[in-house]
Amino acid sequence: MAGGDALAREELAAIAANGLLRSLEPLRSEPGAEVELLSGERLVNFSSNDYLGLASHPDLRAALAEGARRWGSGAGASRLVCGDFLPHHQLEEELARFEGADAVVLFNSGYAANCGTVPSFVGPEDVVLSDALNHASLVDGCRLSRARTEVYPHGDLQALDSALRRARQQGARRVLVATDAVFSMDGDLAPLSQIVEACERHEALLAVDEAHATGVMGPHGAGLVAQLGLREKVDLRMGTLSKAAGVCGAFVAGTRACCDLLVNRARPLVFSTALPPAVSHAALVALRLLAGSEGEERRARLRRSVERFAAGLRALGLPAEAASPIFPVVLGAPEAALGAAAQLRRRGLLVKPIRPPTVPAGSSRLRIAITASHTDSHLDQLLAALREAA
């Protein structure tokens, strides 16, 4: 038996001993507010990022099938070789209009976008300042850049300003601030207006990950940066097509020069086979749904449900703000989160436990995600189960 097997078993045993072992659990149903597991168990799903319920929309099903008939099932190569298709460019052009940007570059995922973007703009002579609760993709993008990375306390504007001043005094060639717009495990919003002001004072670049804001916030769902009127002040905006848009892939919006630099330097773009053109075709339809009247109606429904659920949590004595569709119920130890998730599951509710390293040690939690597909009855069912658990 190869040595790797013994090593893997040893590592898995250590992970399990700490209550952190994970396993895959496939669904046999389409995405939605209610899902079915292979066992036949049906559960109300509060763990999905399909915020507007578009992942099973009939128009997107039809668009994906039409795209496959017209363009085939795969791209066959990276975009810089021969995997560049008309639907990629059509989607980028419409995304640029949606974002109010000069240009947009597509990536295969939000993770790929962040891992490619940060190293394209900073390197060993530079400094990156990263919020302590940024998504792992931004964390890894900072690491891959080989820039000196300083992590500032979550949302701490005074600490950020001090770090910016220090980086300039120490002679950094370039300084880049990286932050989520909506923090994926806590659901709170970055103080983007104040971060922009700090970046302007210290002549720093700013990259904002809008993965959990795209489609949900701002005019026509264009995100938190657009909602705050900061489009012209943020150098790089990353958004995904895999959450509120209901498809897959991601994009970075910026000036034409910034996007051209990404095409030349972003390794996940240069060295990965492109998104299937059929997916880009379907994403184009998703974008039109987001920006149209149906998107507005779904966002309004989502806001009502978010506000209703936040009020319900507060009535239980739990802290809750209706800032985003994400609600953490922090329980501390991994075993506590596992036990609470199992209790909810017995009540017919799928709420996945979130444990380190996804969240800091001592902050294991239930992460509840509200979508436009949830009914009042679904919300009441979860609130009643939480009341019983409490």
Side-chain angles (χ1 to χ4, degrees):
M1 185 67 68
D5 182 75
L7 185 152
R9 289 175 184 274
E10 181 182 337
E11 292 295 320
L12 286 169
I15 292 170
N18 290 317
L20 301 177
L21 189 66
R22 294 162 168 81
S23 59
L24 299 174
E25 190 175 35
L27 303 178
R28 63 188 297 174
S29 63
E30 64 184 28
E34 297 184 14
V35 295
E36 184 177 349
L37 278 63
L38 285 177
S39 63
E41 186 180 10
R42 291 200 64 84
L43 301 169
V44 182
N45 181 13
F46 284 101
S47 291
S48 173
N49 296 324
D50 181 23
Y51 295 122
L52 298 186
L54 293 181
S56 57
H57 194 288
D59 289 0
L60 298 192
R61 295 173 189 265
L64 189 59
E66 178 190 1
R69 285 193 295 269
R70 172 65 179 85
W71 302 100
S73 59
S78 72
R79 292 185 69 186
L80 287 172
V81 181
C82 65
D84 193 36
F85 290 84
L86 180 60
H88 297 138
H89 289 268
Q90 291 172 328
L91 178 57
E92 286 174 336
E93 289 169 6
E94 194 141 339
L95 277 167
R97 287 192 290 271
F98 176 74
E99 287 285 325
D102 289 349
V104 157
V105 177
L106 284 175
F107 285 83
N108 287 10
S109 68
Y111 206 106
N114 282 337
C115 284
T117 297
V118 177
S120 295
F121 284 83
V122 292
E125 301 174 29
D126 307 317
V127 172
V128 179
L129 304 177
S130 176
D131 188 286
L133 296 187
N134 276 345
H135 189 265
S137 57
L138 273 179
V139 172
D140 287 354
C142 294
R143 290 170 175 166
L144 290 167
S145 74
R146 296 180 296 152
R148 179 167 66 83
T149 300
E150 185 170 336
V151 178
Y152 63 91
H154 177 52
D156 189 329
L157 294 165
Q158 184 175 351
L160 174 61
D161 195 77
S162 297
L164 283 165
R165 185 180 300 108
R166 187 163 55 251
R168 284 304 181 199
Q169 290 170 347
Q170 293 173 351
R173 182 185 61 158
R174 297 174 189 151
V175 182
L176 182 143
V177 175
T179 182
D180 288 3
V182 178
F183 290 89
S184 60
M185 292 297 120
D186 289 79
D188 59 329
L189 311 184
L192 288 182
S193 296
Q194 296 91 327
I195 291 173
V196 163
E197 291 171 4
C199 289
E200 289 180 334
R201 278 196 303 275
H202 299 284
E203 298 181 336
L205 302 171
L206 177 56
V208 177
D209 179 338
E210 294 230 78
H212 295 271
T214 301
V216 175
M217 299 175 178
H220 310 295
L224 183 61
V225 170
Q227 179 173 300
L228 297 174
L230 300 174
R231 281 170 160 167
E232 301 302 318
K233 298 177 180 292
V234 175
D235 298 282
L236 302 158
R237 308 194 298 277
M238 193 283 283
T240 61
L241 300 164
S242 59
K243 295 179 174 61
V247 193
C248 69
F251 60 91
V252 175
T255 66
R256 170 57 64 186
C258 284
C259 290
D260 286 347
L261 184 62
L262 289 173
V263 169
N264 282 273
R265 278 195 180 165
R267 292 172 69 85
L269 184 151
V270 174
F271 297 109
S272 293
T273 297
L275 277 174
V279 170
S280 293
H281 180 76
L284 193 58
V285 174
L287 187 60
R288 291 166 184 166
L289 284 172
L290 282 183
S293 59
E294 183 170 349
E296 292 296 340
E297 189 278 327
R298 287 176 181 249
R299 276 187 291 277
R301 193 190 321 159
L302 177 60
R303 282 193 296 271
R304 288 193 297 271
S305 292
V306 165
E307 290 166 1
R308 190 175 192 276
F309 188 69
L313 287 179
R314 290 193 295 269
L316 296 178
L318 296 171
E321 295 184 12
S324 78
I326 301 165
F327 292 90
V329 178
V330 180
L331 298 168
E335 295 79 9
L338 287 165
Q343 186 172 350
L344 292 179
R345 189 153 174 167
R346 290 191 290 271
R347 295 285 301 267
L349 301 161
L350 183 60
V351 183
K352 289 286 188 175
I354 306 297
R355 296 160 287 162
T358 308
V359 292
S363 68
S364 292
R365 67 195 62 191
L366 300 176
R367 177 192 182 271
I368 298 165
I370 306 301
T371 74
S373 299
H374 287 125
T375 65
D376 288 351
S377 176
H378 291 145
L379 302 180
D380 291 343
Q381 184 180 348
L382 178 54
L383 288 167
L386 291 171
R387 184 182 300 111
E388 180 182 283

